C-alpha cells in the first residue's frame, strides 16, 4: 500500500508530460485528459486520507535507499489533509477553466498539473532539501500560470512575484546549506534528533539558518511585511489560477508547521520553539493589515486577495500559541478559508463578465444579467469568509477563540479577530451592495453568457462552506487527531530512524 504515496506525484507528472506533447491536439481532447488527471489525483488523495486516518505513519523510500540518506515520502494526517484540500480545490478550478479560461495558452493544463505535482511533493516529502525542490517546481509552474492571458496588467505583478520568489529561493538554499554544514543531514526526522545535540559555534549557525527559513516560509505564506506582492498578483490572474493560488500561501503555513513543530519543537534543546515568540504578534498585524486592505479595495478580486492575507493572520495566530486545541482549530479554518476564497475568486470573475466595462470594480453599473444567482453565491462566500453563522468560517473562528487560554494573548486575539470580523463584514457589505443592488440606467453590451461548467464549479466550491457545517463533527475529530499527532513527534522520528524494507505489494 505504500506505493500509493507516489500516486499524487506521478499522476500529475505523467498527465503534464502528455499535455506538453499534445499541445497541438484538439482542445477538447486536452481538456478531457486534464480533467481526468485531476479526478485521479483526487481519488489518490482520498485513498491516502483513508490510510492516514488510522494514525500511523507510512513511508516510501525511492530506490529503497533508507533514510536519512535516501529520498523519502512520509504520509501522516497533516499531509493527507493538505492533499485533500488541494485536490478538491484543483478539481473545481479545472472544471471552471475548461469553460473557456484555458484558451490562448496550449500549455495551460500542463502548467496546472505540474503545479499540483509541486504542491503534492511539498506535502509528502520528509526531507528539507526536497521541500526546496518542491517549492521550485510549483513556483516555476506558477510563473507561467500567472502570466496566462497576457497583457501588462499581468506582466508587471508577475515580474514582482518572480523576483521576490527568486530571492526567497536563494535564501532558502543558503539556510539549508547552513543547517547541513553543522548537522550533516537534511532528513527532517534526523534533524529532529541532531538539532538538540548542537552546541558551540554550530548553535549560532543553525539558529541563523532556522530564522532564515522562517523568513522564507513567511514570504510563501505572505505575512507582513512580506505580503504586499500578493493582492496585485492574485487580483490580476485569471479566475481559476487565482483560485488555485488560494492554497499557495497554505504551503508556507504547512512548512512552518512541519519544520517548527518537528525540527525546532519543544524537544529542540536551546533552539526549542525558534521564532515562535515573533510569530504571534506578526500574525495579528498581518490580520489587521489584511482588513485595512479589504476595506480599501476597489474591485472584488482585490477584496478577495486581501482576504487571503486575513486568513493567513487568522491561521498563524493560534498556531503560534502552540496548543493542540489552537492547531486543530487552525486546521479546520484552513479547510474553510481555502475553499471559500477559491470560490470567491471564481464568482468575482463571473460577475466581471456580466458587468461590461465596469468589470469587477466596486462601482455602480447597469443591472447585470443573472444577478440573483451571482449575488447568492457572493453572499454565501462573503458570510463564510467574514466568519458569520451558520457557515464554516464561523465555526472555524469560534474554535480558534475557544482554543486560547485566558491571559494577554487571549485579550489580543479576541480583540483583533472579533473587530476584524466586524470590519470584514463591512467590506463585503459595501462591495455587495454597490455591485449587485446600486444600479444606474443603461445597457450592458454583450455580457458573456454563463455556461454550465463555470456555474457548477463556482457554485460547488462556494457550497463547500455549507458542506463543512454538515460534516463539522467528523472534520473536527480528524483535525483534533492531526493536532495530537503533530505534537507527539516520537513516532515520526522512530519510524524514520528504523531501517525499512520497501513493500513491493
Amino acid at each position: 500500500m505504500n506505493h500509493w504515496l507516489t500516486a499524487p506525484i506521478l499522476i500529475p507528472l505523467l498527465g503534464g508530460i502528455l499535455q506538453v506533447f499534445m499541445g497541438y491536439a484538439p482542445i477538447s481532447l486536452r481538456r478531457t485528459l486534464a480533467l481526468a488527471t485531476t479526478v485521479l489525483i483526487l481519488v489518490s488523495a482520498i485513498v491516502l486520507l483513508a490510510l492516514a486516518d488510522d494514525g500511523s505513519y507510512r513511508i516510501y523510500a525511492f530506490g529503497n535507499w533508507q533514510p536519512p540518506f535516501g529520498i523519502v515520502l512520509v504520509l501522516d494526517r497533516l499531509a493527507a489533509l493538505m492533499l485533500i484540500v488541494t485536490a478538491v480545490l484543483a478539481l473545481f478550478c479545472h472544471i471552471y477553466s475548461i469553460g473557456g479560461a484555458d484558451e490562448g495558452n496550449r500549455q495551460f493544463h500542463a502548467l496546472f498539473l505540474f503545479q499540483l505535482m509541486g504542491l503534492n511533493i511539498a506535502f509528502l516529502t520528509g526531507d528539507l532539501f526536497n521541500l526546496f525542490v518542491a517549492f521550485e517546481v510549483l513556483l516555476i509552474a506558477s510563473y507561467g500560470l500567472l502570466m496566462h492571458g497576457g497583457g501588462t496588467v499581468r506582466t508587471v505583478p508577475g515580474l514582482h512575484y518572480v523576483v521576490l520568489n527568486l530571492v526567497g529561493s536563494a535564501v532558502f538554499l543558503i539556510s539549508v546549506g547552513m543547517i547541513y554544514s553543522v548537522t550533516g543531514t537534511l532528513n527532517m526526522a534526523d534533524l529532529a534528533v541532531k538539532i538538540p545535540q548542537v552546541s558551540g559555534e554550530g548553535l549560532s549557525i543553525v539558529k541563523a539558518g532556522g530564522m532564515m527559513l522562517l523568513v522564507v516560509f513567511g514570504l510563501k505564506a505572505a505575512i507582513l511585511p512580506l505580503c504586499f506582492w500578493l493582492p496585485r498578483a492574485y487580483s490580476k490572474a485569471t479566475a481559476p489560477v487565482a483560485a488555485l493560488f488560494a492554497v499557495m500561501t497554505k504551503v508556507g503555513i504547512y512548512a512552518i508547521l512541519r519544520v517548527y513543530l518537528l525540527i525546532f519543537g519543544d524537544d529542540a534543546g536551546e533552539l526549542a520553539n525558534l521564532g515562535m515568540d515573533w510569530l504571534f504578534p506578526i500574525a495579528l498585524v498581518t490580520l489587521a493589515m489584511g482588513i485595512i486592505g479589504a476595506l480599501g479595495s476597489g474591485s472584488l478580486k482585490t477584496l478577495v486577495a486581501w482576504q487571503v492575507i486575513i486568513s493567513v493572520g487568522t491561521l498563524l495566530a493560534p498556531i503560534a500559541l502552540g496548543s493542540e486545541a489552537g492547531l486543530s482549530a487552525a486546521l479546520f479554518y484552513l479547510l474553510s478559508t481555502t475553499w471559500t476564497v477559491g470560490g470567491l475568486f471564481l464568482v468575482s470573475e463571473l460577475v466581471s463578465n456580466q458587468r461590461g466595462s465596469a468589470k469587477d470594480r466596486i462601482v455602480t453599473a447597469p443591472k447585470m444579467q443573472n444577478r440573483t444567482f451571482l449575488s447568492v453565491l457572493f453572499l454565501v462566500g462573503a458570510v463564510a469568509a467574514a466568519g458569520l453563522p451558520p457557515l464554516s468560517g464561523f465555526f472555524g473562528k469560534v474554535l480558534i477563540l475557544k482554543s486560547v487560554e485566558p491571559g494577554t494573548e487571549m485579550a489580543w486575539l479576541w480583540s483583533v479577530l472579533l473587530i476584524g470580523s466586524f470590519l470584514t463584514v463591512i467590506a463585503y457589505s459595501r462591495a455587495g451592495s454597490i455591485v449587485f443592488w446600486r444600479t444606474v440606467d443603461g445597457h450592458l453590451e454583450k455580457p458573456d453568457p454563463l455556461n454550465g461548467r463555470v456555474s457548477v464549479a463556482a457554485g460547488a466550491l462556494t457550497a463547500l462552506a455549507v458542506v463543512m457545517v454538515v460534516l463539522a463533527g467528523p472534520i473536527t475529530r480528524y483535525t483534533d487527531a492531526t493536532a495530537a499527532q503533530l505534537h507527539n513527534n516520537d513516532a515520526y522520528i522512530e519510524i524514520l530512524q528504523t531501517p525499512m524494507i520497501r513493500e513491493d505489494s
Side-chain angles (χ1 to χ4, degrees), residues 332-346:
F332 185 97
Y333 181 75
L334 185 147
L335 265 74
S336 173
T337 188
T338 303
W339 292 336
T340 296
V341 167
L344 282 171
F345 273 123
L346 300 185

Side-chain angles (χ1 to χ4, degrees), residues 11-30:
I11 291 171
L13 173 61
L14 296 176
I17 292 173
L18 285 175
Q19 288 286 342
V20 170
F21 288 105
M22 292 174 58
Y24 290 95
I27 191 170
S28 58
L29 181 60
R30 285 184 277 132

Side-chain angles (χ1 to χ4, degrees), residues 144-158:
L145 289 174
L146 194 61
M147 300 295 184
H148 174 64
T152 56
V153 294
R154 295 189 176 95
T155 303
V156 174

Side-chain angles (χ1 to χ4, degrees), residues 286-339:
T286 301
L287 171 57
M289 186 69 246
I291 294 164
I292 293 171
L295 289 170
S297 297
S299 68
L300 294 182
K301 290 180 75 173
T302 303
L303 171 60
V304 180
W306 281 107
Q307 178 64 49
V308 175
I309 295 174
I310 293 173
S311 69
V312 169
T314 306
L315 282 166
L316 285 178
I319 289 173
L321 295 179
S323 68
E324 284 188 21
L327 179 52
S328 175
L331 292 175
F332 185 97
Y333 181 75
L334 185 147
L335 265 74
S336 173
T337 188
T338 303
W339 292 336

Side-chain angles (χ1 to χ4, degrees), residues 231-251:
R232 193 174 180 191
Y234 281 31
S235 65
K236 300 304 181 185
T238 56
V241 172
L244 182 63
F245 279 20
V247 80
M248 294 281 278
T249 54
K250 311 310 181 294
V251 179

Side-chain angles (χ1 to χ4, degrees), residues 360-384:
D360 68 325
R361 288 182 293 125
I362 303 176
V363 295
T364 55
K367 182 179 177 181
M368 73 180 82
Q369 295 183 12
N370 305 294
R371 182 176 70 172
T372 302
F373 172 70
L374 294 176
S375 62
V376 169
L377 290 185
F378 182 82
L379 175 64
V380 172
V383 168

